[in-house]
Amino acid sequence: MEQLEIKGRIVWQDLESGFWGIIDEDGRQWRPNSLPAAFQRDGAEVRVKAERSEEGFSMFMWGSPITILDIQ
Amino acid sequence: MAALYTYSYVGILLSTLLWFFLNAREQSTTPIKMLFWSSLGVYSISMFFGDGSSLYKMLIILPRDIAIYVLIALLANKFAARLGSFAVLALALGSVMTFYYFDVLLGTFGSESSELSPDAELIVDLKKDSDPASVEAALEEYRCELIPAFPRLQAARYASFTDNYIINVPDEYADDIDDIIDLLQSDANVDWVERNEIIQLDPDEDEGSEEYEAADYGVNDPDVGKLWGFGRMKMAEFYQTLARLRPRKQARIAILDTGVDAEHPDLKRNYVSSDRNSDRDVVGHGTHCAGIAAAVSNNRIGIASFAPKQGWVEVTSIKVLDDRGTGTDQGIIAGIIRAADEDADIISLSLGGRSDDEKHRAFGEAVEYANDKGAIVVAAAGNSSANARHFAPAGTKGVIAVAAVDNELNRAAFSNSVADLDFGIAAPGVDIYSTYPGDAYKLMSGTSMSAPYVAGLLGIMKALRPALNTADAYKLLQTSGLETDDGEATGRFIQPAALLQKLQ
């Protein structure tokens, strides 16, 4: 599966039941299906290695779902 | 500083009056001149160091003070020679000062005795990349803790606010706040620190929050006042009109979501089970949507929906999203087909994802199947501030896609645009109060909340006219809808009362 390298900023989205997302430098929205607690801080700058998630549909309707492989 | 400013300004006015008075009588004015110049000096210092921007001081406070001073000086000059008139002038000035203007002057730079927030007395902004732990260490003797002030900012453009922290000063150190501020101001990690004052609205000015009572709508559900959409949708008028009509069938609304809490007291009487797995909701999303579409009205608890009493709509659940709120296109398509097979009149989809032609085609076939079985499919437009055409099922042919608006009927910042879709419409989608698992209620925002509003209304329409198809239903929604400033992106805002007039 294609591996993604994302450099961006963590954002909290108070939509639906609420979730964490990443907006990269190009303004693209990414929605990790699980974000480590240490990085759950709005505005935190991160570098992420990720894979696109199989799950394509959700109640969030925001961003592309990803599975994080590594995050700094 | 406010007191210094006030007394020095009063000193200027008083010394000016006396100056003119004594001068007219050719008496020595030396002590008065000293009072005048010393007052002016103190006034200048207090003005310089007082809180507030220089612009505010130069454009508002200074011109105001000068204007009043000139007026009083002119009056004093005019009446200085006449003792009676001068006494009246001094008395009038003294009265105005005592009973009104003194407070105005004291409030010029804000009151230092304002009440501070009990759990967050101070707000501090740290310099970029500063370590809050080192600031905490400096405040160790006061046992103060730095807590992120805005941990869940919605908009990325406000990310700089992550350097803002609140400080909860323990009660036993409440008298040491000035010392704590001094410590923080001398800390190299700190950009600025300020008191977190409680700002109270004058009750007379709090006209923005229109709270309605249940009685205003003719229903007895106590929390109806929390549904801002009811006012915007003219629900009182809607219920009045509906009271004169009889349903030709009980329409079934299927919520395809995370499941629904079947035991919720505000849903139970309207709920029919499809399968046991769908009658539970770990996430709460499906239960919230179900309440918007079909909460039990007139049961003296919680909220109301479009159906004022039983016999109009029933609601069922088909769980197509897992307990994280995610799912697959295959699972959702299977859910649409199943809902149609189980005689759903309305299929409400508060879900979606990015789509391509292939996915649209797959969803399109399911929607066509549901339409053939007599069901109308409604979907949330999506929350990506993008074009809903690139999302499924919102952008799928034959689906009524619902955009979200706020209580001013502006497009919600997150809402996708439905401008390029055949069947786009708008409904409330910000701060929506509805049912939540565990006999609870919760506020949520999203186009997920907008879709079940339209689903609930379509349920009433189907109950009145069972053969209604998607195109005709949308035409009614659209022609009766309210044009808004953002209407091009959101479609018209639903107007149920006006719609009933067209449906009759």
Side-chain angles (χ1 to χ4, degrees), chain B residues 92-125:
Chain B
L93 184 63
S95 300
V96 172
M97 276 291 173
T98 306
F99 296 112
Y100 172 68
Y101 204 64
F102 211 70
D103 286 341
V104 174
L105 290 171
L106 277 171
T108 295
F109 297 126
S111 170
E112 288 174 6
S113 60
S114 299
E115 190 183 350
L116 299 181
S117 172
D119 299 322
E121 287 86 348
L122 301 173
I123 298 178
V124 60
D125 180 39

Side-chain angles (χ1 to χ4, degrees), chain A residues 9 12 16 42 57-60, chain B residues 153 156 162 285 327 383 445 448:
Chain A
R9 197 174 59 248
W12 170 256
E16 313 298 345
D42 204 89
F57 289 80
S58 73
M59 62 184 192
F60 307 111
Chain B
L153 284 173
T162 53
H285 191 260
N383 299 326
S445 297
S448 285

Side-chain angles (χ1 to χ4, degrees), chain B residues 4-45:
Chain B
L4 211 58
Y5 159 81
T6 302
Y7 288 116
S8 62
Y9 187 63
V10 171
I12 292 171
L13 297 180
L14 192 64
S15 56
T16 303
L17 274 176
L18 288 170
W19 194 340
F20 279 106
F21 183 78
L22 295 173
N23 200 43
R25 284 156 186 77
E26 295 179 353
Q27 293 184 20
S28 168
T29 55
T30 310
I32 299 305
K33 282 178 185 168
M34 283 174 64
L35 174 65
F36 176 85
W37 290 114
S38 57
S39 295
L40 188 62
V42 175
Y43 173 86
S44 305
I45 292 167

Side-chain angles (χ1 to χ4, degrees), chain A residues 21-42:
Chain A
I22 300 171
I23 295 180
D24 71 17
E25 291 174 322
D26 297 323
R28 285 175 299 191
Q29 303 165 338
W30 304 93
R31 185 171 47 77
N33 48 28
S34 177
L35 182 69
F39 293 92
Q40 291 180 6
R41 199 167 78 90
D42 204 89

Side-chain angles (χ1 to χ4, degrees), chain B residues 255-504:
Chain B
I255 304 290
L256 275 58
D257 212 285
T258 55
V260 169
D261 177 8
E263 294 301 314
H264 196 291
D266 221 358
L267 291 170
K268 199 172 179 179
R269 264 172 42 196
N270 283 349
Y271 188 82
V272 287
S273 177
S274 176
D275 68 88
R276 286 188 64 184
N277 187 44
S278 300
D279 297 344
R280 49 176 277 279
D281 181 14
V282 173
V283 181
H285 191 260
T287 304
H288 201 269
C289 293
I292 295 167
V296 180
S297 306
N298 277 310
N299 61 345
R300 298 186 186 282
I301 57 167
I303 58 169
S305 65
F306 288 107
K309 56 185 178 183
Q310 284 185 290
W312 285 93
V313 300
E314 60 185 15
V315 63
T316 190
S317 162
I318 296 177
K319 184 173 165 64
V320 297
L321 299 177
D322 61 22
D323 291 346
R324 293 180 305 133
T326 62
T328 61
D329 43 356
Q330 294 94 330
I332 296 161
I333 286 167
I336 295 171
I337 291 167
R338 189 180 137 196
D341 285 343
E342 293 179 0
D343 299 325
D345 294 288
I346 312 298
I347 299 172
S348 184
L349 299 155
S350 287
L351 49 82
R354 293 255 173 203
S355 188
D356 51 30
D357 288 346
E358 195 179 326
K359 281 182 180 169
H360 273 318
R361 197 158 42 245
F363 271 101
E365 287 172 8
V367 170
E368 201 175 325
Y369 177 84
N371 290 162
D372 286 347
K373 299 277 281 184
I376 296 173
V377 181
V378 186
N383 299 326
S384 295
S385 315
N387 188 336
R389 202 172 78 173
H390 306 304
F391 288 72
T396 300
K397 192 169 180 290
V399 171
I400 294 178
V402 192
V405 296
D406 62 19
N407 62 353
E408 298 294 327
L409 303 189
N410 295 320
R411 175 185 176 179
F414 54 79
S415 180
N416 283 351
S417 164
V418 296
D420 288 347
L421 305 183
D422 292 336
F423 300 142
I425 200 83
V430 178
D431 292 337
I432 306 301
Y433 187 76
S434 185
T435 47
Y436 198 71
D439 300 357
Y441 296 83
K442 192 175 180 180
L443 282 171
M444 282 193 195
S445 297
T447 52
S448 285
M449 283 66 246
S450 311
Y453 267 118
V454 174
L457 180 54
L458 285 166
I460 298 291
M461 294 161 69
K462 273 287 213 180
L464 286 165
R465 197 186 288 179
L468 199 65
N469 63 28
T470 303
D472 291 341
Y474 177 73
K475 192 176 177 187
L476 286 162
L477 289 169
Q478 207 270 341
T479 54
S480 62
L482 184 69
E483 287 190 55
T484 63
D485 290 347
D486 293 339
E488 196 176 329
T490 65
R492 291 187 181 182
F493 180 70
I494 55 170
Q495 290 291 279
L499 186 146
L500 279 188
Q501 301 296 335
K502 287 179 176 284
L503 195 62
Q504 286 181 74

Side-chain angles (χ1 to χ4, degrees), chain B residues 22-211:
Chain B
L22 295 173
N23 200 43
R25 284 156 186 77
E26 295 179 353
Q27 293 184 20
S28 168
T29 55
T30 310
I32 299 305
K33 282 178 185 168
M34 283 174 64
L35 174 65
F36 176 85
W37 290 114
S38 57
S39 295
L40 188 62
V42 175
Y43 173 86
S44 305
I45 292 167
S46 65
M47 180 67 85
F48 184 78
F49 288 106
D51 289 342
S53 69
S54 302
L55 208 61
Y56 171 67
K57 291 173 193 170
M58 295 301 291
L59 295 181
I60 305 292
I61 301 177
L62 205 56
R64 177 194 72 182
D65 290 353
I66 291 172
I68 290 168
Y69 175 80
V70 168
L71 178 70
I72 286 171
L74 287 172
L75 288 170
N77 185 40
K78 185 174 176 63
F79 298 117
R82 287 175 274 175
L83 184 62
S85 302
F86 191 83
V88 171
L89 172 67
L91 198 67
L93 184 63
S95 300
V96 172
M97 276 291 173
T98 306
F99 296 112
Y100 172 68
Y101 204 64
F102 211 70
D103 286 341
V104 174
L105 290 171
L106 277 171
T108 295
F109 297 126
S111 170
E112 288 174 6
S113 60
S114 299
E115 190 183 350
L116 299 181
S117 172
D119 299 322
E121 287 86 348
L122 301 173
I123 298 178
V124 60
D125 180 39
L126 302 189
K127 287 182 176 154
K128 195 168 167 57
D129 300 327
S130 290
D131 181 8
S134 68
V135 179
E136 271 180 358
L139 299 173
E140 194 178 0
E141 69 171 296
Y142 299 107
R143 296 194 293 109
C144 292
E145 188 187 358
L146 269 67
I147 303 156
F150 310 106
R152 291 180 169 187
L153 284 173
Q154 291 181 39
R157 64 182 178 277
Y158 299 129
S160 62
F161 286 166
T162 53
D163 294 330
N164 289 184
Y165 291 84
I166 54 172
I167 297 178
N168 182 11
V169 178
D171 289 346
E172 61 265 39
Y173 298 113
D175 294 336
D176 299 318
I177 281 185
D178 287 338
D179 295 335
I180 294 169
I181 291 173
D182 288 344
L183 260 176
L184 288 166
Q185 283 175 334
S186 61
D187 192 316
N189 292 306
V190 173
D191 247 352
W192 52 258
V193 57
E194 69 176 40
R195 292 161 186 270
N196 190 20
E197 291 169 354
I198 296 173
I199 297 169
Q200 292 181 320
L201 286 177
D202 182 336
D204 293 339
E205 293 175 3
D206 189 19
E207 292 171 354
S209 56
E210 287 184 70
E211 275 282 318

